[in-house]
Structures are given as structure tokens and as C-alpha cells.
Amino acid sequence: GTSEISTHKIGLAILKKDFGLAIDLILAPREHQYKSLRSVLEKYTEDKDADAAYKSLDSRLQYSLEGKLLRGVSQAHANDKTSALRAIPGGTRQMYGHAYQSYIWNSVVSRRIKKYGAQVLEGDLVENKDDLGHRLTVKYV
């Protein structure tokens, strides 16, 4: 991710089953947010009163990702962070895991390119295409 709090960090927290950290990262105030949302999240960060934070959101922001999560946190038992996270759409939760997967892939590829450049190495798969870009073969080197 490219926001102040990278989505891959949220994904890592979820993969480590540190759901409290994942919630805190999602609900962290950010510079680019609507001022009204940011001020609610700043207060929530201080007092952790999810119910008061949710109720103080403008009605349109109650349907935002942060609003849905605040509602989930306020309705779940204090120790049940998993249920709280279920308040956000499944596709969004899944996206956090994919973001961490992409982060790992990009890190590995970057290190490989720094070390070996763009050369083909033993163990690589090489795709041959025709002039129109259609795959002809895939060869294991």
C-alpha cells in the first residue's frame, strides 16, 4: 500500500493473528482523511471508546471502512478482535493478506534484480511469445 500505514503491515498483523494491532493500524488517523474522520480517530486512539467514536461519526462516515470497524469493535466483546474485524467486508480483509503477499514478492524480486540483474538463471521459467504476444511455449531453464 501507499498510504501512511501500509496495507501490507495490516496484512502481516492479521497473518500473525495480532488482530488488535490490525484494528489499531486500520483505525490510525491519517493526514489524507476527512478532517471529521481524522478527529474521531484521534480521539479513539486516545480513549479506545469505539462506541462513542462510532456514534460521533457523520452518518455518511458510519458506512466507511473505519465506521464499520468502529461499530464492530463496539459490538464485540473486548477480547474478541476476530469478530470486530468481521465487521469490515471480506474482500477488504482478503486484500490485506494479498498486500503482504505482494510485499514479499516485490522484496524478493528487487533483491534478485540487484544481485543478478535481469538475466535468466537456472531454475527460471521462460515464456516464448510470437510477434503478436501470444504464448508459444514455457520452458524451464
Side-chain angles (χ1 to χ4, degrees):
T2 58
S3 71
E4 294 138 66
I5 299 176
S6 299
T7 52
H8 79 271
K9 291 180 182 177
I10 298 167
L12 177 59
I14 292 171
L15 289 170
K16 287 183 167 184
K17 299 186 187 292
D18 190 345
F19 303 121
L21 175 60
I23 290 169
D24 288 344
L25 290 171
I26 294 168
L27 295 177
R30 295 168 175 78
E31 284 299 316
H32 73 277
Q33 291 169 320
Y34 290 114
K35 188 175 182 179
S36 60
L37 176 60
R38 190 171 60 243
S39 65
V40 167
L41 294 179
E42 286 169 350
K43 184 163 179 8
Y44 170 76
T45 300
E46 293 172 15
D47 65 18
K48 297 294 186 193
D49 187 343
D51 189 51
Y54 176 74
K55 289 176 180 173
S56 68
L57 285 172
D58 297 339
S59 60
R60 66 186 169 86
L61 290 175
Q62 289 181 347
Y63 297 99
S64 68
L65 177 71
E66 295 87 353
K68 290 175 183 178
L69 184 53
L70 283 168
R71 186 162 190 252
V73 171
S74 71
Q75 292 179 339
H77 184 277
N79 295 327
D80 189 5
K81 305 300 184 195
T82 306
S83 291
L85 274 171
R86 285 193 190 114
I88 60 176
T92 302
R93 293 191 313 268
Q94 196 173 38
M95 179 264 312
Y96 292 126
H98 291 163
Y100 186 68
Q101 182 181 22
S102 294
Y103 172 78
I104 295 297
W105 169 259
N106 291 334
S107 297
V108 169
V109 169
S110 294
R111 274 190 245 146
R112 177 191 159 126
I113 290 172
K114 280 181 187 172
K115 188 171 183 176
Y116 301 107
Q119 66 181 316
V120 175
L121 301 174
E122 184 177 338
D124 286 350
L125 291 176
V126 178
E127 182 178 65
N128 294 316
K129 295 182 179 183
D130 65 17
D131 294 338
L132 298 174
H134 299 107
R135 180 188 302 174
L136 297 175
T137 62
V138 175
K139 182 173 80 172
Y140 180 74
V141 179

